[in-house]
Amino acid sequence: MGGICDGRVVIVTGAGRGIGREHALEFARQGAQVVVNDLGAGREGAGRSGGPALEAVEEIRALGGQAVANNDDVADWDGAARLVKMALSAYGRLDVLVNNAGFVRDRMLVSMTEQEWDEVIRVHLKGHFLPLRHAAAHWRERSKAGEPVNARVINTSSGAGLLGSVGQGNYAAAKAGIVALTQVAAAELGRYGVTVNAIAPAARTRMTEEVFAATMAKPGSGFDAMDPANVAPLVAWLGSAESAHVTGRVFEVEGGVISLADGWRHGPRIDKGARWEPAEVGDAVAGLLAEAAEPEPVYGASSP
């Protein structure tokens, strides 16, 4: 097998099912050696099984590719360290980290428990930080030793993280944090030869099957816009040597559509040149709002 990632070593977290599995398969098709990480948990994080990761590895090997399975918890410091070490032990190097693992605990804010908040923040946000932290330390060490580094990190945010989503306050907060983490990591790691980007995919998975259940391929078209395999080509390209000029960006991808998400920017401003009086602020804010574009609506919010 060979393609745009020929010879590169890739870690994909949460790669036993859904979008992550399609990433792993596509990287293998493009010539990469893949570490398939998956804890084997259920949709809401319960349980643990080595089956999903092994099944993905077997599928890759059946295609003629190379892969190994890893069942470490990416939100655990030692587990994330072992994951990176496995790539180095199995294949002697690491070129790409795709952070994808996650689950949901959907609940309206007034009903959400502390545990539901903590668990989602842990697996998504901490589960992105820890593999990134250990991989980045490895790449920095290589760079400082004078070795050439041409590494990639692709993080997984969501439309919920970009715009918010009713009933998903914990998930949206975690995914928004991943965007900020991506931007900081891109700024910090560029000096070591590492690019860091994020995707916000829309596809039918265990986490979204209820939302997208009715969105199937149009009769006769042969194209299912919600197939998770549609996300993988962008991620494979971002993991390739060809994407060295792209970093700190967030891409939305759905079906055959790839778009660049345009995040927070400095907007209209008023400078009084002195401290504001509270009574003056209302008119100032009214002026700023009149100049600014209307914000995108939160997913699931009712129209005003």
Side-chain angles (χ1 to χ4, degrees):
M1 301 178 77
I4 64 171
C5 295
D6 198 26
R8 289 173 77 73
V9 175
V10 181
I11 290 173
V12 184
T13 73
R17 303 182 180 96
I19 291 175
R21 188 187 187 103
E22 297 299 336
H23 293 341
L25 289 167
E26 188 59 49
F27 273 111
R29 292 187 193 100
Q30 295 303 319
Q33 298 161 310
V34 186
V35 179
V36 177
N37 162 267
D38 202 287
L39 194 61
R43 179 181 182 271
E44 296 186 350
R48 185 166 183 165
S49 169
L54 285 173
E55 289 170 8
V57 166
E58 290 171 1
E59 189 170 354
I60 288 171
R61 290 175 178 171
L63 293 172
Q66 298 182 56
V68 293
N70 175 276
N71 304 121
D72 280 305
D73 180 356
V74 295
D76 173 80
W77 177 273
D78 293 335
R82 285 193 298 269
L83 173 60
V84 171
K85 288 177 182 177
M86 174 176 274
L88 301 177
S89 175
Y91 300 119
R93 59 184 295 117
L94 175 62
D95 301 290
V96 184
L97 168 64
V98 181
N99 282 315
N100 169 78
F103 57 71
V104 291
R105 292 277 199 283
D106 292 351
R107 195 86 63 193
M108 301 297 278
L109 289 172
V110 296
S111 303
M112 188 175 295
T113 67
E114 180 180 17
Q115 183 177 358
E116 288 167 340
W117 175 271
D118 287 346
E119 289 177 346
V120 169
I121 296 296
R122 178 185 183 274
V123 72
H124 286 279
L125 193 51
K126 189 176 182 182
H128 270 61
F129 163 65
L130 291 181
L132 171 58
R133 163 65 174 77
H134 291 295
H138 166 68
W139 289 323
R140 180 181 64 177
E141 182 180 343
R142 282 181 52 198
S143 177
K144 288 190 172 183
E147 299 178 41
V149 176
N150 193 15
R152 306 283 180 268
V153 178
I154 300 98
N155 291 328
T156 306
S157 183
S158 165
L162 302 179
L163 302 177
S165 178
V166 170
Q168 292 190 305
N170 48 5
Y171 177 76
K175 291 301 192 182
I178 287 167
V179 171
L181 176 63
T182 298
Q183 293 170 322
V184 172
E188 291 185 357
L189 302 182
R191 71 194 72 179
Y192 306 123
V194 183
T195 69
V196 187
N197 294 285
I199 62 166
R204 189 185 305 103
T205 68
R206 289 188 304 163
M207 291 196 297
T208 62
E209 58 190 357
E210 294 175 3
V211 177
F212 296 132
T215 310
M216 301 296 290
K218 295 178 181 179
S221 71
F223 179 60
D224 180 357
M226 290 295 105
D227 187 338
N230 298 329
V231 181
L234 170 63
V235 174
W237 183 83
L238 287 171
S240 74
E242 295 180 15
S243 66
H245 60 292
V246 182
T247 194
R249 297 290 191 166
V250 180
F251 295 88
E252 294 185 86
V253 53
E254 176 180 343
V257 178
I258 297 173
S259 61
L260 195 62
D262 193 8
W264 291 106
R265 293 178 177 273
H266 296 297
R269 65 196 297 266
I270 300 173
D271 182 2
K272 179 183 175 182
R275 183 182 300 132
W276 290 86
E277 292 293 334
E280 299 175 316
V281 172
D283 287 341
V285 170
L288 293 173
L289 293 176
E291 292 184 52
E294 286 292 321
E296 297 284 347
V298 173
Y299 286 112
S302 57
S303 302

